[in-house]
């Protein structure tokens, strides 16, 4: 017998982990001031690119002596630019506990063929952070988007490190406190926590990272799209808005809008509070229902953005099919879009809780998740 549908629906069913929901006040008319059909090197374009960089610095609290660049190819572009430009001088330690971190391992081990110590953990767990040797360059993902597992903080990163830390923070920036003094390279993309458009990535370099760039030349060739130095000196223009190649000025306008919205909700601390409230609603739901659990085993590592959950009901016969059917049912009802677990992750759901999502929408969605779960349990029983 089908259970009754809840009375309240989320106003916005968008819970995708990327591209993420636009800020609640977004509509396309807000982009009317975009410098469209103009050169990005004209004053109007350059001013907007510079505002995107300095707005990022202001909202994220990035130190004045860190460089911030807008780069091509989204977060992937920013990470790979860092790996190809900086690595090779010393041993590398790669930390991975989900799909994207594993992708960076493939880059370093199979493509760059570097001497790397690879530390991995299964989905739901995290590597032993206390074992990291900071004489090495260390590459890690702050928040593993496909596992919903994040590093708890930056305390495990040595202040007196010799190597560089390279951090993919794409689903962490604007939702979690990032300790800039511990991070030499940080990357994220516009399409994540602020709900911006895809295509562009941000590359944030500490003075130590710049020093490496200016004192070390990798043994391999670098395509123009990855080149951060010229004649042994940093190309400063990249970090003031003179992008390597042509950016989308529509995406830039959209990012400027998102930054303004971020300021309007209290900046970084406001965004963190919104993500925490969203994630807490899902955590509470898991606590109250014995058929669903957070994939992240250790509470301290639970993401407040890409919250991953698994079904734990022993009656479920085919976990992957069950989770897909629940997600499909919620999508068909226009209650929750794009919440199926990532293709390489264990069966389950992934509910985006970043600050652009309204807590009232999470709260309205969760009873529907219970409804869809019960409906699928019933459907499975009828089919058996
Ligand atoms: C941790 C992480 N790294 C990298 C990426 C790739 O990002 P992009 O598609 O913006 O390059 C994602 C996308 O979800 C991600 O979550």
């Amino acid at each position: 017998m089908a259970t009754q549908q809840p009375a309240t629906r989320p106003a916005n069913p968008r819970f995708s982990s990327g591209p993420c929901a636009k800020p609640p006040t977004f509509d396309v008319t807000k982009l009317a001031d975009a410098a469209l059909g103009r050169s990005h090197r004209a004053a109007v374009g350059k001013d907007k690119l510079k505002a995107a960089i300095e707005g990022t610095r202001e909202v994220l609290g990035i130190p004045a002596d860190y460089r911030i660049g807008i780069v091509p190819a989204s977060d992937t572009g920013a990470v790979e630019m860092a790996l190809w430009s900086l690595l090779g001088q010393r041993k590398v330690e790669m930390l991975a506990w989900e799909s994207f971190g594993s992708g960076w391992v493939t880059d370093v081990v199979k493509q760059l063929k570097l001497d790397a110590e690879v530390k991995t953990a299964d989905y739901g767990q995290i590597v032993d952070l206390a074992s990291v040797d900071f004489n090495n360059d260390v590459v890690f993902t702050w928040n593993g988007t496909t596992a919903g597992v994040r590093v708890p903080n930056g305390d495990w990163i040595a202040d007196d490190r010799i190597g560089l830390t390279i951090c993919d923070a794409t689903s962490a920036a604007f939702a979690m406190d990032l300790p800039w003094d511990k991070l030499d390279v940080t990357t994220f993309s516009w399409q994540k926590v602020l709900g911006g458009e895809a295509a562009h990535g941000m590359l944030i370099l500490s003075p130590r990272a710049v020093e490496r760039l200016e004192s070390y030349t990798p043994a391999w060739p670098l395509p123009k799209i990855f080149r951060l130095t010229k004649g042994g000196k940093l190309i400063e223009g990249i970090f003031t808005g003179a992008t390597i190649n042509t950016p989308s000025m529509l995406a830039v306008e959209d990012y400027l809008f998102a930054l303004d919205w971020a300021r309007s909700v209290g900046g970084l601390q406001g965004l963190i509070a919104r993500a925490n409230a969203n994630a807490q609603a899902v955590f509470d739901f898991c606590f109250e229902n014995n058929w669903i659990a957070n994939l992240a085993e250790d509470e301290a590592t639970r993401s407040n953005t890409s919250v991953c959950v698994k079904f734990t009901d022993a009656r479920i016969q085919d976990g992957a099919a069950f989770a897909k059917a629940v997600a499909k049912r919620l999508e068909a009802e226009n209650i929750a879009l794009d919440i199926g677990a990532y293709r390489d992750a264990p069966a389950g759901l992934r509910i985006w809780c970043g600050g652009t999502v309204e807590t009232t929408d999470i709260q309205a969605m969760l009873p529907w998740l219970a409804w869809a779960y019960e409906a699928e349990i019933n459907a499975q029983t009828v089919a058996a």
Side-chain angles (χ1 to χ4, degrees):
M1 212 179 73
T3 50
Q4 221 185 333
Q5 291 189 341
T8 310
R9 294 171 164 268
N12 184 356
R14 289 175 175 80
F15 302 105
S16 151
S17 291
C20 302
K22 308 290 287 176
T25 55
F26 175 84
D27 83 80
V28 281
T29 60
K30 303 271 169 63
L31 308 184
D33 196 35
L36 303 183
R38 294 292 313 274
S39 167
H40 58 297
R41 315 261 185 224
V44 60
K46 271 188 112 166
D47 286 351
K48 285 183 183 287
L49 289 158
K50 203 164 175 207
I53 289 172
E54 291 314 318
T56 302
R57 188 186 307 281
E58 173 213 324
V59 175
L60 290 181
I62 300 172
D65 58 349
Y66 278 46
R67 309 299 207 290
I68 305 172
I70 299 169
V71 301
S74 209
D75 182 63
T76 310
V79 173
E80 293 191 332
M81 189 176 238
L83 301 182
W84 261 256
S85 299
L86 290 160
L87 295 185
Q89 192 196 48
R90 55 182 53 250
K91 191 172 164 183
V92 190
E93 208 161 310
M94 302 293 302
L95 314 182
W97 50 91
E98 51 79 64
S99 177
F100 285 102
S102 304
W104 310 141
V105 173
T106 302
D107 273 355
V108 167
V109 174
K110 296 213 170 124
Q111 297 295 321
L112 288 171
K113 300 187 176 21
L114 291 178
D115 173 21
E117 179 159 345
V118 180
K119 293 184 174 158
T120 59
D122 283 341
Y123 279 86
Q125 296 169 7
I126 197 161
V127 299
D128 177 12
L129 298 171
S131 74
V132 177
D133 178 356
F134 288 96
N135 285 311
N136 301 328
D137 290 332
V138 179
V139 181
F140 70 101
T141 302
W142 192 276
N143 180 75
T145 321
T146 65
V149 172
R150 64 171 169 183
V151 297
N153 52 50
D155 295 354
W156 55 283
I157 301 173
D159 287 323
D160 59 351
R161 61 193 174 278
I162 308 287
L164 299 177
T165 49
I166 299 179
C167 173
D168 172 358
T170 198
S171 51
F174 298 107
M176 304 173 201
D177 265 316
L178 297 174
W180 296 106
D181 57 327
K182 306 267 189 174
L183 303 176
D184 295 306
V185 178
T186 310
T187 68
F188 69 87
S189 78
W190 292 353
Q191 53 101 356
K192 276 281 185 290
V193 181
L194 287 191
E197 290 304 294
H200 299 296
M202 301 300 274
L203 178 69
I204 301 162
L205 303 176
S206 74
R208 295 182 67 241
V210 174
E211 194 199 330
R212 169 79 63 86
L213 283 170
E214 294 191 329
S215 61
Y216 161 74
T217 308
W220 44 82
L222 283 180
K224 173 181 171 180
I225 212 85
F226 279 4
R227 260 176 262 154
L228 294 166
T229 58
K230 193 173 178 194
K233 295 301 284 178
L234 191 73
I235 304 171
E236 294 284 357
I238 297 173
F239 304 93
T240 57
T243 48
I244 298 172
N245 68 334
T246 313
S248 158
M249 295 311 293
L250 194 58
V252 171
E253 195 68 19
D254 181 75
Y255 183 61
L256 292 174
F257 167 80
L259 285 171
D260 273 343
W261 172 78
R263 291 179 185 104
S264 79
V265 296
L268 179 59
Q269 292 314 316
L271 290 167
I272 292 174
R274 288 174 66 92
N276 284 347
N278 290 342
Q280 192 60 50
V282 182
F283 299 167
D284 291 348
F285 183 78
C286 291
F287 184 73
E288 288 153 14
N289 292 285
N290 63 3
W291 46 267
I292 192 164
N294 200 305
L295 187 61
E297 288 170 15
D298 177 355
E299 261 182 55
T301 68
R302 284 183 185 161
S303 174
N304 66 349
T305 56
S306 58
V307 179
C308 294
V309 294
K310 60 185 177 186
F311 295 102
T312 54
D313 189 329
R315 291 174 296 173
I316 295 170
Q317 289 146 16
D318 177 340
F322 186 88
K324 272 197 185 127
V326 169
K328 197 170 159 203
R329 208 174 267 269
L330 292 171
E331 185 140 353
E333 291 288 342
N334 203 33
I335 294 298
L337 306 177
D338 313 318
I339 63 164
Y342 190 72
R343 56 179 185 263
D344 301 337
L349 303 175
R350 186 172 52 158
I351 300 162
W352 184 256
C353 289
T356 58
V357 172
E358 300 278 25
T359 307
T360 47
D361 286 339
I362 296 271
Q363 286 163 340
M365 181 272 290
L366 290 169
W368 283 87
L369 172 52
W371 164 81
Y373 152 78
E374 279 172 30
E376 282 311 318
I377 287 284
N378 289 344
Q380 190 190 262
T381 314
V382 171

